[in-house]
Amino acid sequence: MTDYRALIVDDEPDIRELLDITLSRMAVECTTAATLAEARDLLANQVFHLCLTDMSLPDGNGIDLVDWMQSQCPDIPVAVITAYGSMDSAITALKTGAFDFVSKPVELPRLRELVESALRLPPENAGEDRGTTGARDEELLLGESPEIDTLRRQARKVARSQAPVYISGESGSGKELVARLIHEHGPRREHAFVPVNCGAIPQELMESEFFGHRKGSFTGATENREGLFQAAHQGTLFLDEVADLPLPMQVKLLRAIQEKRIRPVGAKEEVAVDVRILSATHRNLAALVEDGLFRQDLFYRINVIELRVPSLRERAADIPILARHILERLARDYDLPPAQLSDDAVTALQAHPFPGNVRELENCLERAFTLSEEDVIRGEDLQLNGAPSPGSAPEESAAIPEPGESGMDLESYLESIERTTIEKALAQTEGNKTAAARWLGISFRALRYKLKKLGME
């Protein structure tokens, strides 16, 4: 770490000296200030790569400086030094725009970690107009509407902070894409992004999944296993559908976030972990707090900064862009000719409410892509009202396999039906795919798609 300069703002000479010595050993040149006015003057006239400010200053406070820097020099990450236990002040600083905070008495390992993270940050506007980062932003959050443009800018801004971010929005609106964008723009981008659907983990396995376990700690624990926190160490842990966490697990999660330490199931010692927490849910988390179904202290801990993802109907102007991207991806995935949308199809899509948002749009287009007879998808091919497409014939019945004693998941069960029916059609037509498609009452495109999907080519 060389050629970096930091501004230290604190009215206590001993603290200024401690910070100066610590940063100098990291090859960071330091300049100090004792007041808010002095700090503003230095920031306005010199180049700095980092600012560390005490919360309490003779002529103001650290939050005043953070707020001033957001408008005057937003590219300089600023961290606030707070009194021990002053979490409310720390959260206010983070919401104002601070990159991070450190509590007094200052722990030097924590301070070094903060400085290293801050000096890895890209400028706030890096990649906005060109370059690989900007291109990746567009790929993650497609669209040109004011709503999606605002969301991209907000995500890039909060990425520079270490504050927990709560991402709200309807199901299928793209909350995980926003979380990935935040991760890729932050100082942890070189480390793992670990998404987890909290509603998909069985309650009895939840503690082991999050914190890991030691061999022999319970029946079936045949070896040591790392949990999600350890997998996300120095990276980002994205808690999707966090509202589905049971209350006992909420307590353990809160402690892990506060203490930055976890105890694997069956372990005697705690393990230090360094993760940034991003969370999301389609449910009203504040209402769940009022109903006693979600802990208030955990809510405040994960909801330091909130980003709202707009629904698809709020940005209907983006539907043609999203649809084109989805159809191009489908054509690549299944090695089929690309399909275009007719004008009436675009109009129909933009008029549809899409309660399932982008996920519903993807399903709708995938269905139309496979069933359309030509390379142009028309309005009637979309089946937005659930009606069958004109001219489609029901598939002939085929022998349907019964689920075994251990059961069968629905997707595998339906695929087995499709496979059996297609095999019968190909046998009936002596392997002629065009004739088989006609026999099944589907388009040749649809048959090619299904053969590819089921691995029958």
Side-chain angles (χ1 to χ4, degrees):
M1 216 179 285
T2 57
D3 301 325
Y4 287 113
R5 299 187 66 227
L7 175 63
I8 298 169
V9 188
D10 199 302
D11 61 337
E12 296 183 44
D14 291 347
I15 296 292
R16 291 201 303 269
E17 184 178 3
L18 173 65
L19 298 178
D20 189 347
I21 292 172
T22 303
L23 269 65
S24 295
R25 288 175 177 170
M26 300 175 71
V28 178
E29 181 184 343
C30 297
T31 301
T32 62
T35 66
L36 191 60
E38 188 179 353
R40 287 173 175 166
D41 183 61
L42 287 166
L43 287 164
N45 294 286
Q46 297 186 33
V47 175
F48 294 99
H49 304 95
L50 168 66
C51 178
L52 296 173
T53 179
D54 191 21
M55 183 63 77
S56 179
L57 298 169
D59 54 345
N61 61 56
I63 293 176
D64 294 333
L65 182 59
V66 172
D67 189 45
W68 182 86
M69 289 179 67
Q70 296 314 295
S71 60
Q72 301 301 315
C73 43
D75 286 347
I76 303 175
V78 53
V80 175
I81 303 168
T82 65
Y84 178 77
S86 300
M87 187 51 63
D88 289 344
S89 299
I91 289 175
T92 301
L94 292 170
K95 287 185 173 180
T96 305
F99 159 70
D100 206 345
F101 69 93
V102 61
S103 299
K104 291 182 179 179
V106 177
E107 297 180 0
L108 296 186
R110 167 78 179 118
L111 176 63
R112 294 189 192 99
E113 174 191 296
L114 182 153
V115 172
E116 289 173 352
S117 294
L119 296 182
R120 286 200 304 265
L121 282 175
E124 184 176 344
N125 60 354
E128 280 191 22
D129 300 318
R130 59 182 178 84
T132 56
T133 305
R136 180 64 175 152
D137 290 356
E138 297 296 331
E139 184 180 330
L140 283 173
L141 288 177
L142 283 169
E144 298 174 354
S145 63
E147 293 83 2
I148 208 68
D149 185 56
T150 297
L151 180 60
R152 273 196 294 262
R153 283 189 281 106
Q154 289 175 334
R156 284 193 291 262
K157 184 173 182 179
V158 303
R160 298 167 53 82
S161 167
Q162 293 298 290
V165 178
Y166 167 58
I167 305 167
S168 62
E170 297 179 4
S171 290
S173 57
K175 296 185 289 296
E176 183 173 337
L177 296 180
V178 176
R180 288 185 183 275
L181 183 59
I182 292 171
H183 172 76
E184 290 194 3
H185 270 273
R188 298 173 180 267
R189 60 191 175 279
E190 301 298 328
H191 299 280
F193 174 85
V194 180
V196 52
N197 186 331
C198 298
I201 304 175
Q203 187 168 341
E204 62 273 13
L205 298 178
M206 196 162 278
E207 186 174 358
S208 171
E209 285 292 313
F210 274 100
F211 306 137
H213 62 252
R214 293 290 177 261
K215 180 179 178 180
S217 56
F218 55 86
T219 303
T222 57
E223 58 185 5
N224 291 343
R225 183 176 182 276
E226 287 191 343
L228 294 165
F229 269 84
Q230 290 151 304
H233 181 61
Q234 295 188 316
T236 302
L237 181 61
F238 173 53
L239 304 175
D240 197 11
E241 296 305 338
V242 68
D244 291 339
L245 286 173
L247 286 169
M249 190 61 209
Q250 291 178 29
V251 177
K252 294 172 182 176
L253 178 63
L254 175 64
R255 186 179 185 281
I257 295 173
Q258 286 182 158
E259 303 297 328
K260 297 188 176 182
R261 302 185 72 84
I262 60 167
R263 187 191 302 275
V265 177
K268 295 180 180 179
E269 303 293 332
E270 291 187 327
V271 179
V273 288
D274 170 27
V275 300
R276 184 182 188 183
I277 299 292
L278 306 178
S279 58
T281 182
H282 71 282
R283 301 168 69 183
N284 187 330
L285 211 52
L288 293 177
V289 171
E290 290 183 7
D291 294 340
L293 299 175
F294 198 86
R295 290 182 63 92
Q296 186 178 55
D297 45 8
L298 180 58
F299 173 69
Y300 287 132
R301 178 65 63 162
I302 65 174
N303 190 28
V304 174
I305 299 172
E306 180 175 354
L307 290 185
R308 179 182 172 275
V309 183
S311 64
L312 187 55
R313 60 186 169 276
E314 293 176 82
R315 55 184 191 106
D318 288 334
I319 286 178
I321 298 172
L322 290 164
R324 184 168 61 249
H325 174 78
I326 293 166
L327 290 172
E328 288 173 354
R329 189 191 68 220
L330 287 169
R332 286 194 306 270
D333 289 348
Y334 295 103
D335 193 24
L336 291 168
Q340 306 295 320
L341 287 173
S342 66
D343 291 343
D344 70 310
V346 172
T347 301
L349 288 172
Q350 290 184 305
H352 189 67
F354 282 108
N357 293 288
V358 179
R359 190 178 298 130
E360 182 185 351
L361 174 65
E362 290 175 336
N363 292 339
C364 169
L365 289 174
E366 184 170 4
R367 181 177 63 240
F369 179 81
T370 61
L371 297 178
S372 61
E373 296 288 347
E374 304 172 0
D375 291 338
V376 176
I377 295 175
R378 308 191 184 282
E380 60 265 25
D381 297 323
L382 297 171
Q383 303 180 40
L384 290 174
N385 295 320
S389 58
S392 63
E395 298 182 1
E396 273 193 44
S397 61
I400 299 175
E402 294 294 330
E405 291 182 6
S406 60
M408 180 188 292
D409 67 85
L410 181 60
E411 186 174 353
S412 298
Y413 186 52
L414 295 176
E415 282 186 357
S416 69
I417 297 172
E418 280 195 320
R419 184 183 300 276
T420 302
T421 306
I422 291 172
E423 286 173 348
K424 181 177 180 181
L426 290 170
Q428 190 82 9
T429 60
E430 298 181 343
N432 186 315
K433 293 178 183 177
T434 302
R438 208 163 34 240
W439 189 85
L440 289 166
I442 61 176
S443 68
F444 180 65
R445 177 198 289 274
L447 179 59
R448 284 187 62 189
Y449 167 84
K450 290 178 183 296
L451 289 171
K452 181 91 171 178
K453 180 180 179 183
L454 296 170
M456 297 176 64
E457 287 190 324

